Amino acid sequence: MSRTVYVNGEYLPEEEAKVSVFDRGFLFADGVYEVTSVLGGKLIDFAGHAKRLKRSLDELQMANPVTEEELLEIHRQLVARNGIEEGLVYLQITRGAADRDFAFPKDATPTIVLFTQAKPGLADSPMAKTGMKVISIEDQRWGRRDIKTVQLLYPSMGKMMAKAAGCDDAWMVEDGAVTEGTSNNAYIVKGKTIVTRHLGTEILHGITRAAVLRFAREAQMTVEERPFTVDEAKAADEAFITSASAFVMPVVEIDGQAIGAGAPGPVTARLREIYLDEMRKAAV
Ligand code: PDD
């Protein structure tokens, strides 16, 4: 069945939704995006995603074509029109269409596109019980990873490298330390301490990360925001990742070596439970 998608003010069947071949998102990856999950037909942490979207747009001096209220209404309309109980809403804003030129155009109208992806069973993923396997790869992305841009080719290549190695994802490494996963933030647990890389331009400031660290601290867990190495990960008791689509997901192997018991650990399981419980309660 065809989805209803949103393009520049209109709700359209996906076959009829079009953007220009001159769109700078297409020509220059001159665009930003957000992914918000849907549980029980409601949006998880919409406010967090809206805030980061504004930051990404501001960092790129890109105009925002919609207010936060309009954005919420579009999200809700798409969830309702497509009957999404569990899944994702993808949002992309680009600088718009203009004759090809590296300089930003002065008068382009931003392009805004949103669509849904139904993911039945998203919160009850079998991987939460088995855990994921990751490989480490060199981080070859650009230097402003704190801006959520649509230039995702290297993360995509990383995912393919992981698949070729029989694994689920890749953790990227720069100057000897793990930055993040291809589309998620990375964590290790040693004893009672959760370690994850500090915020900066080297990683995306995950919306799930912010919530999980808040819940961890509220549950009296110790959190250290600092770089960690692959060797530290190999010697950790547990490891996990967070993202809007995976929530909190255990990592049980890195570069072929089991982490801890080689099975999802109690700290990860607890954080996943708290995160899902609290975020369902606060969903809009
Ligand atoms: N990815 N780091 C990177 C590089 C990401 O692409 C993402 C999200 C995250 C986690 O951020 P958040 O918790 O706000 O989802 C970290 C999304 C889910 C994606 O590209 O599909």
Side-chain angles (χ1 to χ4, degrees):
M1 202 184 73
S2 163
R3 276 172 291 191
T4 296
V5 305
Y6 179 89
V7 185
N8 298 330
E10 287 187 288
Y11 293 93
L12 296 169
E14 61 183 73
E15 300 77 12
E16 290 171 28
K18 305 255 182 323
V19 295
S20 166
V21 294
F22 294 106
D23 195 280
R24 288 181 60 95
F26 179 58
L27 298 179
F28 290 99
D30 190 359
V32 300
Y33 77 109
E34 283 295 330
V35 177
T36 304
S37 63
V38 178
L39 293 177
K42 288 185 169 181
L43 299 159
I44 300 298
D45 215 342
F46 174 79
H49 290 283
K51 193 168 164 207
R52 185 173 61 192
L53 173 69
K54 185 180 180 313
R55 181 178 182 277
S56 294
L57 290 167
D58 287 349
E59 289 294 317
L60 296 172
Q61 297 142 43
M62 209 182 280
N64 190 347
V66 282
T67 65
E68 190 172 328
E69 293 71 37
E70 287 166 339
L71 202 58
L72 178 57
E73 176 56 20
I74 300 165
H75 276 73
R76 284 179 163 158
Q77 280 285 334
L78 285 181
V79 168
R81 288 178 191 228
N82 294 298
I84 306 294
E85 266 302 300
E86 289 201 7
L88 308 171
V89 181
Y90 177 89
L91 150 77
Q92 180 169 330
I93 297 176
T94 76
R95 204 178 301 275
D99 198 21
R100 187 174 182 276
D101 185 351
F102 280 77
F104 295 168
K106 286 200 175 59
D107 47 9
T109 308
T111 300
I112 175 165
V113 169
L114 285 93
F115 58 80
T116 55
Q117 289 181 294
K119 304 261 180 199
L122 185 67
D124 197 27
S125 162
M127 204 176 252
K129 289 170 194 90
T130 56
M132 356 181 335
K133 295 176 180 175
V134 302
I135 56 167
S136 63
I137 61 171
E138 193 189 330
D139 197 336
Q140 294 186 351
R141 297 172 300 163
W142 80 322
R144 289 301 308 275
R145 303 158 195 158
D146 56 313
I147 310 174
K148 198 164 171 64
T149 76
V150 296
Q151 39 169 316
L152 297 173
L153 188 53
Y154 188 70
S156 214
M157 290 165 71
K159 197 81 174 174
M160 294 312 290
M161 290 182 231
K163 273 182 193 285
C167 291
D168 305 294
D169 199 17
W171 279 12
M172 296 178 281
V173 177
E174 186 170 63
D175 299 330
V178 173
T179 52
E180 57 189 334
T182 60
S183 59
N184 47 67
N185 291 115
Y187 307 73
I188 56 172
V189 181
K190 187 74 182 171
K192 292 197 186 322
T193 304
I194 298 161
V195 183
T196 192
R197 192 176 180 104
H198 56 286
L199 296 181
T201 51
E202 302 82 12
I203 63 166
L204 185 74
H205 302 186
I207 300 307
T208 320
R209 177 188 183 280
V212 166
L213 293 188
R214 188 174 75 242
F215 296 140
R217 287 179 171 123
E218 281 170 11
Q220 315 301 325
M221 298 176 186
T222 309
V223 176
E224 281 180 16
E225 295 180 65
R226 61 161 177 87
F228 65 87
T229 64
V230 170
D231 280 345
E232 262 187 282
K234 287 179 178 168
D237 298 323
E238 297 180 35
F240 64 92
I241 57 109
T242 64
S243 78
S245 50
F247 311 118
V248 177
M249 195 61 81
V251 172
V252 296
E253 193 184 294
I254 183 161
D255 291 339
Q257 185 167 323
I259 297 172
V267 173
T268 306
R270 181 84 191 106
L271 284 173
R272 183 178 171 89
E273 189 186 320
I274 300 175
Y275 179 80
L276 283 170
D277 282 356
E278 293 298 323
M279 299 316 274
R280 274 183 200 277
K281 276 191 245 164
V284 295

